[in-house]
Amino acid sequence: GENVEQHPSTLSVQEGDSAVIKCTYSDSASNYFPWYKQELGKGPQLIIDIRSNVGEKKDQRIAVTLNKTAKHFSLHITETQPEDSAVYFCAANQGTGTASKLTFGTGTRLQVTL
Amino acid sequence: GAGVSQSPRYKVAKRGQDVALRCDPISGHVSLFWYQQALGQGPEFLTYFQNEAQLDKSGLPSDRFFAERPEGSVSTLKIQRTQQEDSAVYLCASSLVGGNEQFFGPGTRLTVL
C-alpha cells in the first residue's frame, strides 16, 4: 500500500519568514495530494491540493509543488503569521471511489513566533 | 453552509463497554469516510461508504469495529467491547461523488479507561 513520509516533525519560524514542509510517497499510482491544517481540538481543514497533472499550485500565501519523478511534494507558506501555527498534514490517494481513501503523513507542528 | 458534524464530541467508556459514534456528512455528499487518529499521529483510514454501500472496510482494526450508513446519509461507527488501545480521535469526512476533496468533521475523542 501507499506510504507517505513527512518532515520535519516540528518547525519554528519567526513571523514574516517562510516555512517549507516536505513529503514523499511510495506508490506511483497516487495522483491527488492534499494538505490539511489541524488546530487543537479540531478536525483537519483542507488548505490546498494538487493533482498529478500539475507541477505547482498557488493560493495567496500558500503554494504546493509536486515532483512526480522523485515522488515528493512540498508545502510552502510565505509571510507566516501567528495564526498559521498548527499541525500540517500531507496526504495522497489514487483517485475517486474506492481508490479515494487518503494516506496521511505523520504531521508537522508549525510554530510561528513573534 | 453546514459542514460535517459528529457527536458526541467526547466519549469516556469503561473497558468492555460498547460505544456508538455518529457522523452527519455535508448534504449531498455521496462518499463518507471514517478515520482513526491516535495522539500525535496522522489520521488512518478505517472504512468508506458510497451512499449506503460499504465499499471498503480494509482499515477496520478488528471485528469489534462496525460501521453502517443505512440510508446513505448519517453514518454510525460502533465499537464493541472497547479496549484501551481504541482510545483515539475518530474522524468522519465526506466528499462529492467523483470528487477528491474530503471535508472533515471535528472528530469524537474516545477515551477508554
Side-chain angles (χ1 to χ4, degrees):
Chain A
E2 175 64 277
N3 182 53
V4 176
E5 296 189 355
Q6 180 173 350
H7 60 95
S9 56
T10 61
L11 179 59
S12 183
V13 299
Q14 285 196 322
E15 183 180 7
D17 288 350
S18 296
V20 180
I21 302 170
K22 298 182 178 182
C23 289
T24 61
Y25 61 99
S26 62
D27 194 332
S28 57
S30 290
N31 58 20
Y32 173 69
F33 307 92
W35 286 88
Y36 286 87
K37 174 184 181 182
Q38 188 172 30
E39 297 175 284
L40 195 62
K42 296 184 178 180
Q45 176 193 2
L46 179 67
I47 57 171
I48 195 168
D49 57 16
I50 190 167
R51 288 171 173 77
S52 59
N53 58 347
V54 175
E56 183 174 0
K57 183 177 178 180
K58 188 174 181 180
D59 182 4
Q60 299 183 338
R61 297 186 297 109
I62 295 173
V64 57
T65 59
L66 171 65
N67 183 325
K68 287 175 54 180
T69 302
K71 296 200 193 73
H72 66 70
F73 56 113
S74 301
L75 177 71
H76 304 252
I77 305 174
T78 58
E79 301 172 22
T80 53
Q81 301 168 2
E83 52 265 36
D84 294 330
S85 297
V87 179
Y88 291 81
F89 290 98
C90 61
N93 76 13
Q94 298 174 12
T96 58
T98 55
S100 56
K101 61 185 177 185
L102 291 169
T103 300
F104 284 84
T106 50
T108 296
R109 182 173 299 278
L110 173 64
Q111 183 171 8
V112 180
T113 58
L114 298 174
Chain B
V4 178
S5 61
Q6 293 185 246
S7 60
R9 291 294 317 278
Y10 304 92
K11 177 68 179 178
V12 178
K14 292 182 179 179
R15 186 164 56 92
Q17 284 185 331
D18 297 349
V19 297
L21 313 179
R22 176 188 169 106
C23 171
D24 284 84
I26 294 172
S27 178
H29 279 196
V30 168
S31 298
L32 185 145
F33 305 80
W34 284 98
Y35 293 85
Q36 180 190 60
Q37 186 174 26
L39 191 63
Q41 300 297 316
E44 292 192 354
F45 171 79
L46 293 177
T47 188
Y48 163 66
F49 289 86
Q50 185 169 309
N51 294 304
E52 69 279 3
Q54 188 175 21
L55 299 184
D56 187 344
K57 52 183 181 180
S58 62
L60 295 176
S62 77
D63 58 8
R64 296 185 296 103
F65 287 71
F66 172 76
E68 61 183 4
R69 194 185 185 198
E71 298 179 358
S73 179
V74 171
S75 177
T76 304
L77 177 67
K78 298 179 179 178
I79 309 173
Q80 297 176 325
R81 304 181 303 281
T82 52
Q83 304 295 314
Q84 285 189 325
E85 60 263 29
D86 299 335
S87 295
V89 174
Y90 290 85
L91 295 163
C92 176
S94 69
S95 69
L96 288 167
V97 61
N100 288 117
E101 296 88 351
Q102 294 184 26
F103 299 92
F104 282 80
T108 294
R109 179 176 296 278
L110 173 65
T111 303
V112 181
L113 302 176

